[in-house]
Amino acid sequence: MIQNLFEPVEIKGIQLKNRFVRSATMEGMGTPDGYPTQKLKEYYCRLAQGEVGLIFTHGTMIEAWKNLPETLGIQSPFSIHSDRYINAWQDVVHAVHAGGAKIAMQISHLGRQDIPELRGSAPIAPSAVPIEESGVTPRQMGVDDIENVIESFAQACRRVKEAGFDAVQFHGAHGNLINNFMSPFTNIRTDHYGGPLENRARFMTDILKRTRQVIGPEYPLMIKMNFNDFVDGGLETNEAVNIAGIIAEAGIDCIEVSGGTLSESRSHIAVKGIKKKEQEAYFREYAKALKEQVSIPVILVGGHRSPDLMARIVEEGTADFISMSRPFIREPGLIQRWKKGDLEKAKCISCNQCFENWISRPLRCYVDNPVREKQ
Ligand SMILES: Cc1cc2nc3c(=O)[nH]c(=O)nc-3n(C[C@H](O)[C@H](O)[C@H](O)COP(=O)(O)O)c2cc1C
Ligand code: SF4
C-alpha cells in the first residue's frame, strides 16, 4: 500500500533509497564556534539506521558569528563560513553514508532575523523593515553587501561539496535573507533587486550564477522556499511559483515547499495540534501548484503523519519526496517501523514544545522526556 514511498529514487545523480527526507531541524548539537559534535554524528547515524533516505542539517551559517556566550542561552548553530570547518564534517558525512543515507547541508543567512548581539552589528536585509516583536530594524543592504553575501553563499557551497555532502540546500524560507529578497513585505527596494518578481528573484539567481561558476554544473543545489509568508503584503503562492520557475531555470535542482516566517507567522511553519488526517500535509496545495510549473523534483514538508496519505501524495504526483521534522524527533526509527509493517501514524502529537524551545535547548521530544524537563 505504501510501496511507492520505498522506491529508490534519484535527484540529479544522487541515489536515494526511498522518498523519506528529514527536514532541516536545529539540533543544538554544535560547539560554541559552530563545529559538529560526536553527539550530532551519533544522532544522524540513528536517523540513517532508522531508514531515512536523505538528511538535511539545520540552517548552517555562511557568515561568522561571535562565539556564543553561554549566558545568552542560545544553542550554537553550525557554521561553514571558513575552510577550517571542512574536515570536521567529512567524518560526519562518512558515518551517515556508512549508515545508508544521503546527507545535504542546509546553508543559511538569517537576514532581517539575525541576532544583533551575535552579528556584532544590526541585521542586514533588502530593506529596513522593522520586526515588531523584537523592535529590531535591519540595515538596508547596499550593492556591495549583496555582492559579499553572494560570494559567501558560493564559497559555503564549495566547502559543503569539499566536505563530501551529497548536496546543498539554500534556506530560502521562514523569513531568512533569501526569503526577505523574494517577499514584497520585506523587499521594498526600487533598484533591480526589488519591485517586480523577476527583480525579487535576482538575489537568488545571482547566488546560483556565482555558485555554478565556483562548483560547476553537476553538483546538486536545492532550496527550501516559502510558498506563503502568511503576512499581509508578503509572498503568496502565485508569485512564489513563478519565482520557483525562474530559479529552476537558473539552476536549482530540487525545491522543498514550506511557508511562514519566524518573525511574523511562526505558527504556520510547524502547525500545532495536528489530530485529524485533514490537518496533515498542510502545504500540499502549494506543492500541487509548484508541480504544474516546474519539472524538477519537489519535496513537501509540513504535518505529514499518516503513511497512507503520504503514499497518496506521491501517487497523485503532488510531490516526489516526503519531508518531516517533528515526527523524527519523537521517533528517529519511524521509517524502519513502517518498513517492518507497523503502519500506525507517527507518534508525534504536534505539541510543539520542541519547536518552542529550539533556540534555548538541545533537541529532544518533551513528551517522552518530561522528567528531565522538571530538573
Ligand atoms: C525544533 C525544530 C527546529 C527546526 N529548525 C529548522 C531549520 O534549521 N531549518 C529549517 O528550514 N526548518 C527548521 N524547522 C522546520 C521544520 O524543518 C519543518 O519545516 C516544520 O517543523 C514542519 O514539518 P513537521 O510537521 O514535519 O515538523 C525546525 C522545526 C523544529 C520543530
Ligand atoms: S515535543 Fe515531541 S510530541 Fe511534541 S511536537 Fe516535538 S516531537 Fe512532537
Side-chain angles (χ1 to χ4, degrees), residues 109-114 119 122-129 137-142 145-146 149 175-177 180-181 186-189:
H109 189 300
L110 299 181
R112 182 171 170 263
Q113 299 178 159
D114 215 331
R119 258 192 87 73
I124 53 171
S127 306
V129 178
T137 302
R139 176 173 66 77
Q140 174 167 324
M141 292 167 80
D145 294 310
I146 292 177
V149 176
N176 284 356
L177 186 63
N180 295 162
F181 270 90
T186 43
N187 181 352
I188 49 174
R189 298 175 75 93

Side-chain angles (χ1 to χ4, degrees), residues 23-26 58-59 106 171 224 269 303 305 324-326:
S23 196
T25 303
M26 174 62 179
H58 74 242
Q106 184 184 69
H171 195 344
K224 185 171 184 179
I269 297 174
R305 302 294 181 265
M324 288 175 272
S325 167
R326 291 167 291 171

Side-chain angles (χ1 to χ4, degrees), residues 4 58 64 68 106 151 180 193 221-222 268 302 345 373:
N4 59 351
H58 74 242
L68 280 164
Q106 184 184 69
E151 191 59 27
N180 295 162
Y193 285 103
L221 297 178
M222 309 181 177
H268 290 273
K345 73 175 186 178
E373 172 63 356

Side-chain angles (χ1 to χ4, degrees), residues 14 18 70-71 95 107 123 147 170 172 218 232 246 329 349 375:
I14 328 170
N18 58 37
E70 273 180 35
T71 46
I107 58 172
E147 283 167 2
F170 296 97
E218 299 306 328
D232 281 345
I246 294 171
I329 301 172
I349 57 166
Q375 282 170 352

Side-chain angles (χ1 to χ4, degrees), residues 26 38 46 56 81 136 138 144 151 186 225 237 264 289 317 324 368:
M26 174 62 179
Q38 178 67 19
R46 272 175 72 204
F56 286 117
H81 76 271
V136 173
D144 52 340
E151 191 59 27
T186 43
M225 240 185 91
T237 314
E264 273 86 20
M324 288 175 272
D368 285 335

Side-chain angles (χ1 to χ4, degrees), residues 101-161:
K102 303 292 182 196
I103 178 163
M105 179 176 269
Q106 184 184 69
I107 58 172
S108 179
H109 189 300
L110 299 181
R112 182 171 170 263
Q113 299 178 159
D114 215 331
I115 302 166
E117 293 89 331
L118 298 175
R119 258 192 87 73
S121 59
I124 53 171
S127 306
V129 178
I131 296 178
E132 213 175 286
E133 189 182 88
S134 64
V136 173
T137 302
R139 176 173 66 77
Q140 174 167 324
M141 292 167 80
V143 171
D144 52 340
D145 294 310
I146 292 177
E147 283 167 2
N148 287 341
V149 176
I150 288 170
E151 191 59 27
S152 297
F153 268 116
Q155 294 305 326
C157 289
R158 173 185 58 76
R159 291 179 199 116
V160 172
K161 185 181 175 192

